[in-house]
Amino acid sequence: MTTLQHDLVIIGGGLAGLRAAIEAARTAEKAGKSLDIAIVSKVYPVRSHSVSAEGGAAAVLRDYDTFDLHAMDTIRGADFLADQDAVEILVNSAPSEIIQMEHWGCPWNRDEDGHVSVRAFGGMSVKRTVFASDKTGFHMLHTLFQTSLKYTTITRYDEWFVTSIIADDKEVHGIVGLDISTGSFHAIKAKAVMLAAGGGGRVFAFTTNGSICTGDGMALAYRAGAPLKDMEFVQFHPTGLPNTGILITEAARGEGGYLINAKGERFLEKYIPNKMEMGPRDIISRAIITELEQGLGYGESKDGFVHLDLRHLGEKHLKSRLPFILELTRTYMGIDPVIEPIPVRPVLHYMMGGVHTDNDGRTPLKGLYSAGENACVTINGANRLGSNSLTECLVFGARAGSAAAGYIFETAGSDKDLSTFAERDETKIRTRFLTERNRGEKVSVIRKELQATMEEGAGVFRTAKGLNGSIEKLAELRERAQRLQIKDSTRTYNLELVGALELDFMLDVADTIVQSAHNRQESRGAHVRRDFPERDDEKWLIHQQANMTPKGLKIKKSPVTITKWQPEERKY
Ligand SMILES: Cc1cc2nc3c(=O)[nH]c(=O)nc-3n(C[C@H](O)[C@H](O)[C@H](O)COP(=O)(O)OP(=O)(O)OC[C@H]3O[C@@H](n4cnc5c(N)ncnc54)[C@H](O)[C@@H]3O)c2cc1C
């Protein structure tokens, strides 16, 4: 087995990973130094989940807007749990990143006067979300991918699945990856490793997230000894299509769509009258669930729905601004939004938590960096505002790429011999999953039960009893997952094996979510405890960091950085 070697290994070829790789290469170019960069991705990079982002990216680009207003919106949206120094970096750097994307070829929509168009988004005081139709992620990802091809110092390992990070308690030495196309394991030595492996929405049953969003990067960091921060905060998007969970972008409300209940009422008047459809996602999701619980929606409350009405916007506007929404609704629901309202219900969409980093993507483990949805900087606190995440991938991807390059220039690199590590992972994985592989249960059975218990215990509304139930269920599933039935014994493209490895990561990620949620005895942002309905700043204006220890999960608390916006009641 060969040991490969690069200076920087980036796990993930989505927006954050590509932006980081490009910035690392540019930093080296500017410094006149050489830097050998690798991107390892379990799918071809343009199939990363970023490709499915619809609505847009937030940045202050108009005279009527200010950095302070964008920061305040973000901090209030986060229910004051965002680190305000990080938010200031986000809003200050966002415009130059958006302009840079334009220069690299991103086809932002434009107004007739030539300005880049902006649209309204939930929780934002003014129109500040730039977009490329309703396929923003597709265009941004392709722009970065084609830009990355310019740099000959970037090598790609497409369809390689990272199975572990090689680290001791002092520093990182590299990774082990499974080449999915051949079934062979390889160690890649690196002076720095960056996790840009995205989120883990698939730990829930009903989600907008692609099937590859299994939280691998979070679990990889956690196992290597880096803490996972704010994991209790997961975001439910108010408008998913029933059954599939396909996202109907917030831009549909930004363009003027209404939410109505079965009585034909615009029910948000009862919950958030000043913002209505432009309220933040946590509040609107709770409003929908409350309507359903009161029998004011359609269908059973557990999988009932309300309506999103776009009819008054007219076919011409819908075709120009929301063509993808027309296509998705017609294809997957058989419903034409031009003449019929769209059924929608809250759907798991995003993870605010992730690997704890500083503002340059550094984790507490020397040489390990993280950016994008994988990381928790944190600008999102207890609730992310829509369209801040694409911007986060650009701003903090670039900062992490540049910081990692700087670190590598100063680092000799370890002299650790990695030749046995690929074999170690291969033996462990083959012994556990492929020898006597008929003795256990199917991956799909355990995954289904895992997703069901997360919906049950860690949904929009939570209680100690429900969370306890999920904690116990996860312990049982972890035990059962030690024995899995994998029918496919081939080496090439053994996606059943990949599914088993993903399930193993999901179990770790799910555990950090429910345990952190059980511990936080208050309600804040997207984390609402029916047994602790108030926000409690005195006790809980803090981050929780989950650490893996030999005795199980241990939570450490860390302060929230406040710069100039003192916490106050979150009112809209
Ligand atoms: C349907 C949808 C619509 C959205 N719309 C918007 C929007 O309009 N505006 C907004 O701001 N945000 C939006 N978001 C959120 C935003 O798109 C994501 O948070 C962001 O794109 C994540 O980018 P990323 O680079 O961090 O990760 P991803 O794009 O998810 O990329 C992760 C990468 O990691 C790789 N990877 C993962 N595990 C492994 C492993 N074990 N080994 C090797 N490689 C691995 C994958 O192959 C992939 O390349 C949306 C999200 C969804 C799901």
Side-chain angles (χ1 to χ4, degrees):
M1 256 171 274
T2 46
T3 300
L4 302 154
Q5 188 161 350
H6 297 277
D7 294 322
L8 171 62
V9 170
I10 297 173
I11 305 170
L15 282 180
L18 289 171
R19 186 66 191 87
I22 293 167
E23 200 55 32
R26 295 205 316 168
T27 305
E29 247 180 29
K30 273 187 227 149
K33 302 199 174 183
S34 74
L35 186 73
D36 179 0
I37 303 159
I39 297 176
V40 185
S41 174
K42 68 179 174 179
V43 295
Y44 194 69
V46 291
R47 300 186 65 214
S48 303
H49 186 67
S50 294
V51 80
S52 59
E54 298 171 4
V60 173
L61 288 163
R62 295 294 175 102
D63 293 344
Y64 57 70
D65 203 0
T66 67
F67 291 149
D68 272 7
L69 195 57
H70 188 186
M72 185 62 229
D73 287 344
T74 302
I75 291 161
R76 183 175 289 129
D79 218 347
F80 294 89
L81 201 79
D83 285 324
Q84 297 182 3
D85 53 345
V87 174
E88 290 190 54
I89 291 171
L90 175 89
V91 302
N92 291 336
S93 312
S96 56
E97 283 295 327
I98 297 297
I99 293 165
Q100 175 65 75
M101 287 295 282
E102 158 97 6
H103 293 172
W104 281 333
C106 190
W108 301 123
N109 267 47
R110 286 185 178 275
D111 293 344
E112 278 181 6
D113 66 2
H115 278 94
V116 168
S117 306
V118 282
R119 64 168 38 135
F121 244 71
M124 302 283 186
S125 303
V126 295
K127 287 187 180 178
R128 67 163 69 95
T129 298
V130 302
F131 55 97
S133 182
D134 53 359
K135 289 187 179 164
T136 308
F138 172 91
H139 291 295
M140 289 177 73
L141 191 61
H142 281 255
T143 300
L144 286 184
F145 183 65
Q146 73 195 14
T147 303
S148 78
L149 299 178
K150 281 201 313 208
Y151 294 94
T152 51
T153 49
I154 301 176
T155 306
R156 289 207 328 273
Y157 295 86
D158 296 338
E159 300 187 330
W160 275 47
F161 185 95
V162 176
T163 51
S164 66
I165 289 174
I166 305 169
D168 49 36
D169 50 5
K170 285 198 244 69
E171 61 185 330
V172 158
H173 305 289
I175 61 143
V176 177
L178 159 69
D179 177 351
I180 301 172
S181 71
T182 62
S184 54
F185 288 75
H186 305 269
I188 307 183
K189 192 168 179 164
K191 291 180 183 168
V193 171
M194 187 181 306
L195 285 159
R202 281 276 155 175
V203 299
F204 285 78
F206 187 60
T207 175
T208 62
N209 282 201
S211 57
I212 56 171
C213 301
T214 46
D216 306 3
M218 296 180 189
L220 284 165
Y222 184 53
R223 291 175 187 184
L228 299 185
K229 189 170 67 187
D230 293 347
M231 291 301 285
E232 61 272 40
F233 300 105
V234 299
Q235 176 162 79
F236 288 84
H237 192 294
T239 59
L241 291 182
N243 305 320
T244 56
I246 289 172
L247 177 74
I248 299 300
T249 172
E250 193 161 292
R253 280 172 285 129
E255 294 292 339
Y258 300 149
L259 284 169
I260 46 181
N261 64 16
K263 287 167 87 181
E265 297 164 339
R266 286 185 67 189
F267 58 89
L268 291 175
E269 261 161 18
K270 289 184 270 181
Y271 303 89
I272 182 161
N274 295 329
K275 280 266 180 192
M276 297 295 287
E277 278 79 7
M278 286 295 91
R281 292 173 178 178
D282 55 338
I283 295 179
I284 299 187
S285 291
R286 282 196 289 280
I288 297 176
I289 298 289
T290 307
E291 290 291 295
L292 294 175
E293 285 178 352
Q294 292 174 358
L296 295 169
Y298 299 90
E300 294 285 309
S301 109
K302 206 165 155 285
D303 41 26
F305 54 87
V306 295
H307 276 149
L308 173 65
D309 196 351
L310 306 181
R311 290 174 294 184
H312 54 288
L313 300 178
E315 186 163 12
K316 187 163 165 252
H317 190 74
L318 292 176
K319 269 190 175 156
S320 81
R321 291 300 184 96
L322 300 167
F324 194 39
I325 293 310
L326 293 183
E327 184 186 325
L328 288 171
T329 316
R330 286 169 179 159
T331 309
Y332 293 97
M333 297 295 292
I335 280 176
D336 183 356
V338 175
I339 49 170
E340 291 165 280
I342 311 172
V344 289
R345 61 173 281 108
V347 57
L348 193 283
H349 185 55
Y350 183 84
M351 293 172 75
M352 270 71 80
V355 184
H356 168 54
T357 69
D358 70 7
N359 292 336
D360 290 309
R362 282 181 208 95
T363 75
L365 189 59
K366 205 169 146 208
L368 184 67
Y369 291 75
S370 186
E373 194 169 338
N374 200 150
C376 182
V377 172
T378 163
I379 59 142
N380 299 307
N383 174 63
R384 170 178 78 103
L385 289 192
S387 76
N388 266 348
S389 171
L390 297 179
T391 308
E392 175 181 2
C393 286
L394 298 177
V395 169
F396 290 95
R399 287 178 74 90
S402 156
Y407 168 78
I408 290 165
F409 299 152
E410 307 287 309
T411 296
S414 80
D415 49 10
K416 198 174 178 80
D417 175 12
L418 302 192
S419 58
T420 57
F421 281 88
E423 204 175 313
R424 180 199 68 179
D425 273 24
E426 175 161 14
T427 308
K428 213 164 66 188
I429 287 166
R430 289 196 168 277
T431 309
R432 178 166 160 205
F433 296 118
L434 296 176
T435 37
E436 292 183 63
R437 59 181 191 279
N438 284 326
R439 40 182 199 153
E441 296 169 81
K442 278 190 185 163
V443 171
S444 59
V445 170
I446 306 223
R447 189 172 51 214
K448 229 178 178 161
E449 289 185 35
L450 155 73
Q451 292 167 332
T453 197
M454 292 305 285
E455 294 279 344
E456 189 74 30
V460 171
F461 291 105
R462 302 163 169 184
T463 60
K465 188 161 168 261
L467 287 162
N468 259 328
S470 301
I471 292 170
E472 280 168 24
K473 181 72 187 179
L474 287 173
E476 174 207 313
L477 293 175
R478 189 185 296 276
E479 162 56 28
R480 283 163 53 194
Q482 288 306 312
R483 298 164 301 281
L484 289 172
Q485 189 191 100
I486 294 179
K487 289 238 161 74
D488 189 352
S489 59
T490 50
R491 290 180 81 91
T492 56
Y493 286 102
N494 190 337
L495 297 184
E496 216 185 342
L497 175 62
V498 169
L501 297 171
E502 287 176 337
L503 173 66
D504 209 40
F505 287 147
M506 287 161 83
L507 284 162
D508 278 352
V509 172
D511 194 44
T512 63
I513 294 173
V514 290
Q515 296 223 41
S516 306
H518 185 263
N519 218 41
R520 183 175 283 276
Q521 298 186 334
E522 66 154 357
S523 291
R524 182 186 297 272
H527 170 72
V528 168
R529 290 278 302 257
R530 282 197 150 125
D531 43 354
F532 296 96
E534 303 299 325
R535 191 176 97 186
D536 179 357
D537 282 353
E538 217 161 281
K539 257 177 97 182
W540 287 107
L541 188 63
I542 45 152
H543 299 293
Q544 298 197 93
Q545 297 185 19
N547 292 274
M548 185 180 256
T549 76
K551 289 195 185 130
L553 182 152
K554 286 271 167 311
I555 288 177
K556 203 182 99 189
K557 294 176 179 161
S558 60
V560 174
T561 307
I562 308 280
T563 55
K564 50 184 178 186
W565 294 277
Q566 286 309 314
E568 58 185 29
E569 193 191 340
R570 184 173 173 231
K571 279 198 296 225
Y572 286 99

